[in-house]
Amino acid sequence: MTDNTYRIIEVVGSSTTGSDDAIANAVERASKTLENLDWFEVIEVRGHIKDGSIEHYQAHIKVGFKLNGPAA
């Protein structure tokens, strides 16, 4: 097993179709900026209600990614 060191960031994704899509949008966007994404953890799911219906979903997640380079 390799010793890895990770950095963790928090992001919030949103979607009008569901919480799973909000999570996927958050991960997809993070992957455009960060390398070595390895895992995510859902912290919170929330949304906006308009006229008695869900208008959009938000997913607050932590994303872990391996740091580049040799360990110090």
Side-chain angles (χ1 to χ4, degrees), residues 49-71:
I49 299 170
K50 183 175 180 182
D51 298 326
S53 296
I54 298 172
E55 184 161 286
H56 73 269
Y57 300 79
Q58 290 182 330
H60 176 192
I61 67 171
K62 289 183 180 180
V63 179
F65 57 97
K66 293 179 195 172
L67 296 178
N68 289 329

Side-chain angles (χ1 to χ4, degrees), residues 32-43:
K32 291 180 181 179
T33 304
L34 303 168
E35 296 177 353
N36 304 320
L37 296 184
D38 202 41
W39 56 268
F40 72 91
E41 174 185 353
V42 177
I43 304 300

Side-chain angles (χ1 to χ4, degrees), residues 11-16 18-19 21-23 26 42 44-48 54-61:
V11 294
V12 177
S14 63
S15 171
T16 57
S19 58
D21 286 338
I23 294 166
V42 177
E44 178 181 26
V45 175
R46 60 182 178 255
H48 180 248
I54 298 172
E55 184 161 286
H56 73 269
Y57 300 79
Q58 290 182 330
H60 176 192
I61 67 171

